[in-house]
Amino acid sequence: MDWDKLRIFHAVADAGSLTHAGEQLHLSQSAVSRQIRALEEMLNTTLFHRHARGLILTEQGELLFDATRAMRKRLDAAAARIRDSEEEVFGELRVTTTIGFGSMWLAPRLTRLYEQYPQLNIDLMLEERVLDLPMREADVAIRMKEPSQADLIRKRLMGVRMRLYAAPDYLSRAGTPESVDDMRSHRLICQAPGGVQVSAGAQLVQWLLTHDIPSRLTVNNYFGVLQGTINGLGIGVLPDYIVENAPHLTRVLPQVESNEVPVFLAYPEELRQSRRIAAFRDFVIAEIQAHRRKLGPAA
């Protein structure tokens, strides 16, 4: 096939519009249209349904778009490896992790990474969905469980436990619970047991709710739980790594905690030699070591 026509087809399929694709490719709409017609004639099929609101891929168009999308990701990976042959660490690094870990632990520390590598650009993607690293949805991931894919390099970073915390002013108003049964007199701030989260956190919340806690605030991520806890709305179920950045919070019921959640860093085998990956990996490991030293025996 004509690679240039495939490149133009991919842009049109991605944009859903000849005009928008032409703007991205710096081509006129008529030039883009001619290339699409030529590709359809070459394949003897219709790739797009045309209507007033734009273009919709046909079944055959969807098949071709899947192929060009995979090709694009492979080309991006090759380009990344070529760039990483340079001595300097620079360019874009796409990092994915959970909303809680990314916003409460990783993001506050990135200043030190930028000080060391000012030409590095981090695209931080915070979501609970596990992105596909081999398909280059991201370059490197920090995950709350060991990745199952065989073609990933993985390193265990640390373990996390979910615990109960409260603001001192809340405890002075509402009192400090001495047992789990005392939680009936308090508001529990947590993620819903059925929400997307680590299973250990969901199990702890589920167990707490068996003690008939009538007042609850559920938030769909730990950052929201933290904000509610800091502002004295109740007792929050939070990962233990927040204590360094929120030292004013008081741990409640120290005998209550979740099972350990392993935290892994992972990246594709094909990026093994990436200088950007190595720089980020070494930075995270150094920050975890500093985190442990700061917490002392409690770590």
Side-chain angles (χ1 to χ4, degrees):
M1 288 187 189
D2 186 321
W3 289 97
D4 199 48
K5 288 183 175 61
L6 290 176
R7 177 178 66 90
I8 293 171
F9 162 80
H10 182 85
V12 174
D14 193 45
S17 162
L18 294 172
T19 303
H20 291 157
E23 290 170 355
Q24 294 171 13
L25 299 168
H26 305 291
L27 295 171
S28 67
Q29 180 179 339
S30 59
V32 173
S33 181
R34 282 196 302 272
Q35 293 294 325
I36 295 299
R37 281 200 304 272
L39 183 59
E40 288 179 325
E41 289 172 5
M42 181 189 305
L43 296 172
N44 192 29
T45 191
T46 300
L47 298 173
F48 294 98
H49 292 304
R50 293 158 175 82
H51 62 88
R53 290 177 296 170
L55 301 175
I56 296 177
L57 286 165
T58 63
E59 184 179 353
Q60 292 80 7
E62 288 282 2
L63 289 172
L64 187 59
F65 188 42
D66 287 343
T68 59
R69 189 160 41 204
M71 288 161 53
R72 178 67 179 269
K73 288 176 179 176
R74 297 294 294 180
L75 288 170
D76 286 346
R81 293 181 65 179
I82 291 168
R83 287 195 301 270
D84 283 332
S85 65
E86 303 289 337
E87 288 298 322
E88 250 182 298
V89 174
F90 71 99
E92 184 182 66
L93 182 67
R94 296 170 299 164
V95 179
T96 180
T97 188
T98 61
I99 296 170
F101 190 84
S103 60
M104 297 191 293
W105 192 92
L106 181 59
R109 291 170 162 79
L110 288 178
T111 300
R112 291 186 280 276
L113 180 63
Y114 278 112
E115 287 172 351
Q116 192 172 359
Y117 303 108
Q119 296 184 52
L120 185 63
N121 297 317
I122 302 293
D123 180 6
L124 190 55
M125 296 176 281
L126 305 183
E127 54 182 294
E128 306 307 319
R129 182 173 67 93
V130 175
L131 299 187
D132 192 330
L133 297 184
M135 288 301 294
R136 297 307 308 279
E137 288 187 331
D139 299 315
V140 59
I142 297 177
R143 294 179 176 169
M144 302 299 119
K145 64 177 180 179
E146 184 170 6
S148 58
Q149 291 166 303
D151 49 355
L152 294 180
I153 296 172
R154 79 240 18 230
K155 179 175 178 60
R156 192 181 193 277
L157 297 174
M158 62 180 181
V160 170
R161 292 181 187 272
M162 306 301 156
R163 294 169 173 167
L164 296 174
Y165 297 93
D169 64 335
Y170 171 82
L171 295 176
S172 66
R173 293 194 321 269
T176 301
E178 300 295 330
S179 69
V180 180
D181 288 337
D182 292 342
M183 288 291 294
R184 294 170 186 164
S185 304
H186 296 268
R187 180 176 298 110
L188 182 68
I189 311 173
C190 60
Q191 292 201 56
V196 180
Q197 59 182 308
V198 294
S199 59
Q203 289 165 7
L204 175 60
V205 169
Q206 207 161 25
W207 177 76
L208 287 168
L209 293 180
T210 63
H211 291 78
D212 299 323
I213 302 172
S215 183
R216 298 189 297 274
L217 168 66
T218 57
V219 189
N220 67 345
N221 61 71
Y222 287 119
F223 183 72
V225 174
L226 175 63
Q227 295 308 305
T229 305
I230 288 173
N231 287 284
L233 290 176
I235 296 174
V237 179
L238 288 162
D240 56 12
Y241 56 72
I242 61 101
V243 295
E244 185 180 345
N245 294 326
H248 54 287
L249 290 182
T250 300
R251 186 175 177 189
V252 176
L253 297 177
Q255 73 276 19
V256 174
E257 62 181 13
S258 74
N259 294 328
E260 187 178 67
V261 179
V263 181
F264 281 84
L265 183 142
Y267 52 94
E269 175 73 35
E270 63 188 20
L271 295 180
R272 176 185 290 273
Q273 303 303 323
S274 167
R275 296 181 186 278
R276 286 171 296 166
I277 295 281
F280 180 78
R281 178 198 61 212
D282 294 346
F283 155 76
V284 171
I285 291 172
E287 288 296 321
I288 287 173
Q289 291 171 345
H291 173 73
R292 287 174 175 157
R293 287 193 298 271
K294 190 169 182 179
L295 295 181

